[in-house]
Amino acid sequence: MAERRGVLARGLTGWAFAGPATLLVVGLSIFPTVWAFLISRTRWNGIAIPRPLGWANYRLMAEDPELWDSVRHTFVLTALFVPSSILGGMTVAIALSQQVRLIKFYRTCIFVPFVASSAATGILASYVFNPQFGTANELLRRIGLPPQQFLEDPRQVLVVICLIALWGQIGFTAVVYLARLQDRPKDLIEAAMVDGAGRFRILWHIIVPELRPVTVFMVVWQTITALQLFDLVYTTTRGGPLSSSTTIVYYVFELAFQTRRYGYGSAVAYGLFAVTMVLTVGTILYSRRSKVEAF
Amino acid sequence: MSAVRPGRRRLLPFSPWHLLLMPLSLVFVFPLVQMVLTSFMTSADINRFPPRLIPATLSLDGYRELFAQSNILQWLLNTVIVSTASIAGHMILCSLAGYGFARLRFAGRTPAFFAIIATVMVPIQLLMIPTFLMFSRLGITDTLAAAFVPWLASAFGIFLMRQFFLSLPKELEEAAKLDGCGPFRTFYSIVLPLAKPALATLAIFTLLGSWNDLVWPLIAISDDRFYTLQVGLTTFQGTRRTQFEQLMAGNVVATMPLIIGFVLAQRWFVASMAFTGVTR
């Protein structure tokens, strides 16, 4: 009896600590996730009575050219952004781990864009890359290159958005790499130098392998960042010109909050959820198999 | 790598790393400098060809128009309220939950913790529609609550605090228990004072996230008086696409508090960023 009272009291205390936060976090994600699935099997504008459709919304996805365009844009953006943010972040971190003068100043400069919101970054970028008044074209003009349309050119827009995203994210990637570099094995590097290994070989055979767990983590993290890129698209192009920068997330936003197609919007969101899951789990399994302990 | 190697001639009077770091720093900082400079330019200076990079005269037109034409001060106040509520929520709820998951044994602990970690996988666009509907049924759309309720606690915050409490030695808490302290007393007067570094990391993470959040307030708030800075800026942008002195003035108001905070407390910001990346 006393035993059971003890278990009960412990349970109450435990839940008194963990309950409120658990309720909020789980309630604001698991419950909406289930609800979104129910919505995705209906036709609904949020006002009228939802009409059950079964799997029709999911079948519709296969033959929706706008969706496949947005998938393609998202894919291009991810393929540009993930490798460049990782290579860039690693390079910057290695440079910032050197003991040279002004290093604190350099670190401040490179990290500071990370604290600017994506909305402010997007608005700033729409000025910098403005074809008429922007600095980017002014710089091109000064070095004798022809002006570009940047965000207003369907062929350039994704590259420019990727550059803007890199501006904000490289600092973050570099911080994470830098944290790892600062507790790297100094003895190993010194031993290699004594043995006459060149800088490049030290970099390739000691430092890069040392960073592999961070790299695996960063691949997952930045893939999710790229797949979910919304704020920048919203503040630079709103999906234009001619829908050439509509990403999947932006498409879901349009479906839901502009054309009020809640059912179909939820189905598309589920599609993206599935892709994110497959990519995340795939990367984790791959890293497990190749014995990189990132997770 | 900084060891001087004998026999290697130095071509430059300074380390070659400066050749990479100097231009890089410029690329990262220059747009922000330009944002500030442009906010003090006249529209004539901005719209001339070729554009001026440095203002010919300093002008407050951008700010004057911004304050006259928008509710920016209200938005700033709203953002401060939202961020304060978010930070308070995170500090209280996540440290309590983190301690519970780290130290207390109770039925359902493991499944609850796994459920929390699993929520990280759910993308925000899946949550947008049902959360919006839920908020409108609760009647909190067009209130500041819609902006801070999603930020009162997070899986990341709970995880961070749990990891921190796991790293503390248990002896202090056991001693407190022997002295007759209950779990709440132990938590409040023994453990929490030790958690200041973790709480600082958590506070900065929450500040950055809630201050810069666009999606939640954008979908849930349509009344101009309840806009946060980020939503306010994007709607302001929609109405004046090329009045860059005003847009940049708005950007300065929205970003400078965090930029100044970053420069003053860089160590803590970087610790918070690094921890975000250590969550694995």
Side-chain angles (χ1 to χ4, degrees), chain A residues 169-228:
Chain A
Q169 286 291 319
I170 290 266
F172 168 67
T173 319
V175 163
V176 180
Y177 274 120
L178 197 57
R180 180 87 181 186
L181 279 174
Q182 279 166 342
D183 47 50
R184 73 185 170 182
K186 291 229 166 56
D187 305 353
L188 210 58
I189 293 168
E190 274 162 24
M193 279 172 88
V194 170
D195 287 350
R199 276 161 188 254
F200 184 76
R201 290 189 54 191
I202 293 177
L203 179 71
W204 190 249
H205 290 291
I206 300 177
I207 298 177
V208 173
E210 187 63 26
L211 292 175
R212 266 181 78 187
V214 184
T215 305
V216 174
F217 167 77
M218 270 342 281
V219 168
V220 172
W221 183 278
Q222 298 292 35
T223 305
I224 293 175
T225 306
L227 289 176
Q228 303 200 4

Side-chain angles (χ1 to χ4, degrees), chain B residues 32-273:
Chain B
L32 292 173
V33 173
Q34 225 209 337
M35 173 179 95
V36 177
L37 289 178
T38 306
S39 74
F40 289 108
M41 279 160 80
T42 59
S43 58
D45 262 1
I46 295 170
N47 296 337
R48 71 194 275 279
F49 185 84
R52 266 187 215 285
L53 299 185
I54 311 282
T57 49
L58 288 182
S59 134
L60 287 174
D61 289 359
Y63 290 91
R64 212 173 285 133
E65 282 295 300
L66 173 72
F67 286 112
Q69 308 284 327
S70 77
N71 270 332
I72 187 106
L73 287 178
Q74 181 69 51
W75 302 340
L76 178 65
L77 180 68
N78 291 345
T79 306
V80 170
I81 294 171
V82 166
S83 284
T84 310
S86 306
I87 293 171
H90 256 81
M91 300 276 244
I92 298 166
L93 297 176
C94 294
S95 58
L96 277 171
Y99 185 74
F101 286 121
R103 285 289 200 257
L104 305 174
R105 322 200 127 266
F106 54 93
R109 182 177 78 155
T110 312
F113 187 67
F114 271 107
I116 288 171
I117 296 303
T119 64
V120 177
M121 300 247 257
V122 183
I124 193 164
Q125 51 280 7
L126 191 58
L127 303 177
M128 285 193 308
I129 296 170
T131 305
F132 169 73
L133 293 168
M134 196 159 72
F135 283 0
S136 51
R137 302 226 167 141
L138 292 173
I140 59 168
T141 46
D142 279 334
T143 67
L144 289 181
F148 69 69
V149 165
W151 281 99
L152 286 178
S154 67
F156 171 84
I158 297 169
F159 183 77
L160 187 156
M161 294 314 291
R162 173 181 173 267
Q163 295 308 93
F164 178 80
F165 291 130
L166 282 176
S167 75
L168 287 180
K170 275 186 181 163
E171 282 74 19
L172 269 175
E173 291 156 63
E174 277 158 9
K177 199 175 175 186
L178 286 181
D179 286 349
C181 278
F184 282 101
R185 181 79 193 279
T186 310
F187 171 74
Y188 184 76
S189 38
I190 311 281
V191 180
L192 212 51
L194 296 173
K196 276 179 195 150
L199 288 173
T201 305
L202 184 65
I204 288 174
F205 163 81
T206 316
L207 173 67
L208 286 174
S210 60
W211 187 284
N212 290 340
D213 187 18
L214 174 65
V215 172
W216 294 126
L218 180 70
I219 60 178
I221 298 174
S222 54
D223 184 337
D224 170 80
R225 288 170 305 160
F226 296 106
Y227 280 173
T228 59
L229 278 169
Q230 312 304 329
V231 180
L233 284 184
T234 58
T235 47
F236 191 63
Q237 179 201 25
T239 59
R240 48 204 77 211
R241 290 210 71 98
T242 55
Q243 269 123 315
F244 289 116
E245 73 285 1
Q246 296 174 37
L247 292 176
M248 292 305 117
N251 259 7
V252 168
V253 174
T255 54
M256 270 308 147
L258 293 190
I259 291 179
I260 292 169
F262 176 81
V263 173
L264 293 181
Q266 187 174 346
R267 200 161 62 91
W268 293 104
F269 274 79
V270 169
S272 174
M273 285 158 77

